[in-house]
Amino acid sequence: MRAPVHVRFASKLDKNGPVPSHVPDLGNCWVFLGYRDDAGYGNFWFQGKMHLAHRVAFFLEHGRWPEPNALHRCDNRACSRPSHLFEGTQIENIADRDAKGRTVVPDQRGVKHSRAKLNPEKVREIRAALRAGEKQPTIAKRLGVSRSAINNVANGYCWSHVQAEPEEAAS
């Protein structure tokens, strides 16, 4: 027989998580130890489908789903401690983020992007090949990237921050 949901859920929590430095009076975060998505949010199988763990924590505490969203006072996406959660809209979530100075847009150009397949040397190689008349599909195949990646370099949609080598700029 399967354990009750609250037992299964509790077994996936580390109740000795970090204390949020900006609100230490909240106490320890309860870090979800199960599956976490790429954004760092816990996911928990409940009522026949996958739910965000912090929403399940809210449901188990209050007997209803948060409407429209469950937001974190602690700013810890992996936290599922009910006292760290509150209901709010996406606009309120954005305002909370901005008020706490968490609106950081890191420089993710070029090789800093998590899915980058090119680097400055390859970008310069692509530009030189295009100037020499080589076709985009041929370049894409040779470098093992999509034609759209080559097209994006050719049209300056990405990698525009990569400067030409001095001998390249002179031509």
Side-chain angles (χ1 to χ4, degrees):
M1 184 167 176
R2 192 170 195 175
V5 67
H6 67 279
V7 173
R8 285 191 310 116
F9 191 77
S11 74
K12 297 190 179 296
L13 296 176
D14 174 5
K15 294 186 176 182
N16 295 309
V19 174
S21 60
H22 66 289
V23 281
D25 54 306
L26 287 179
N28 295 71
C29 287
W30 293 0
V31 178
F32 189 75
L33 300 173
Y35 172 77
R36 285 194 237 165
D37 62 23
D38 291 341
Y41 291 101
N43 285 250
F44 184 77
W45 188 258
F46 179 55
Q47 295 182 335
K49 68 179 194 174
M50 198 64 86
H51 293 273
L52 292 172
H54 64 285
R55 288 181 56 83
V56 174
F58 188 98
F59 178 87
L60 294 174
E61 180 74 11
H62 300 285
R64 62 182 179 79
W65 292 104
E67 287 299 327
N69 300 310
L71 312 180
H72 291 91
R73 286 185 178 91
C74 59
D75 301 330
N76 182 348
R77 294 175 179 184
C79 181
S80 290
R81 186 172 184 171
S83 64
H84 287 203
L85 304 173
F86 64 101
E87 289 179 292
T89 66
Q90 185 63 24
I91 290 172
E92 290 168 328
N93 197 24
I94 291 168
D96 179 57
R97 176 200 68 195
D98 293 349
K100 292 175 181 170
R102 291 184 289 113
T103 308
V104 177
V105 180
D107 180 1
Q108 293 185 343
R109 296 180 300 167
V111 293
K112 294 178 183 175
H113 194 282
S114 62
R115 295 186 311 213
K117 293 190 173 141
L118 299 174
N119 59 41
E121 294 74 29
K122 285 187 178 182
V123 169
R124 291 183 187 103
E125 181 182 338
I126 291 166
R127 290 176 181 158
L130 290 167
R131 279 194 309 278
E134 192 173 345
K135 300 294 182 196
Q136 290 184 15
T138 307
I139 300 169
K141 187 172 184 177
R142 179 167 46 83
L143 295 178
V145 297
S146 67
R147 181 169 176 230
S148 65
I150 304 300
N151 188 59
N152 288 339
V153 170
N155 291 305
Y157 299 139
C158 42
W159 295 95
S160 60
H161 64 284
V162 174
Q163 301 299 313
E165 293 290 347
E167 65 278 358
E168 193 179 327
S171 58

